[in-house]
Amino acid sequence: MADLERLSQIAMEIIAYSGVAKSTYIEAARLAREGDFEQAQEQILQGDEVLKTAHETHMQLLQKEAAENTPQVSMLVLHAEDQFMSCETIKVLVLEIIEIYKKLGKEA
């Protein structure tokens, strides 16, 4: 049971860190829309720090599975994977959105 509890704890950490990172990336897009590119970049950097922690936690999960040579899959782990991957996708999209806002600002 302790193993399942630890697995759930790791999954919840990934979900939490991914959620915080997504929020900072979305805030960066909002700041860019307002023309505050310096603060937008700061939000991206903050999101990157949190995403780095999510990535490290994700690696713990993968290493644990590899060491035990037994796949540990649960709905919570699947949800954590989904949140982590969507966070990475949102970051890429927000970076593109910021560039579009910069370009639009130069044309105005």
Side-chain angles (χ1 to χ4, degrees), residues 6-7 10-11 13-15 17-18 50-68 77 80-81 84 88:
R6 179 66 185 136
L7 183 67
I10 292 170
E13 287 175 23
I14 294 168
I15 292 165
Y17 293 131
S18 296
V50 178
L51 186 60
K52 178 182 173 189
T53 304
H55 177 69
E56 290 167 353
T57 306
H58 184 247
M59 286 304 296
Q60 276 183 330
L61 187 65
L62 296 175
Q63 289 169 345
K64 181 177 179 356
E65 184 177 297
E68 295 174 0
V77 171
E81 292 279 332
F84 182 64
E88 291 179 322

Side-chain angles (χ1 to χ4, degrees), residues 32-44:
R33 183 179 65 231
E34 294 174 358
D36 192 347
F37 298 110
E38 188 175 313
Q39 276 301 109
Q41 182 59 35
E42 182 59 34
Q43 287 294 305
I44 294 292

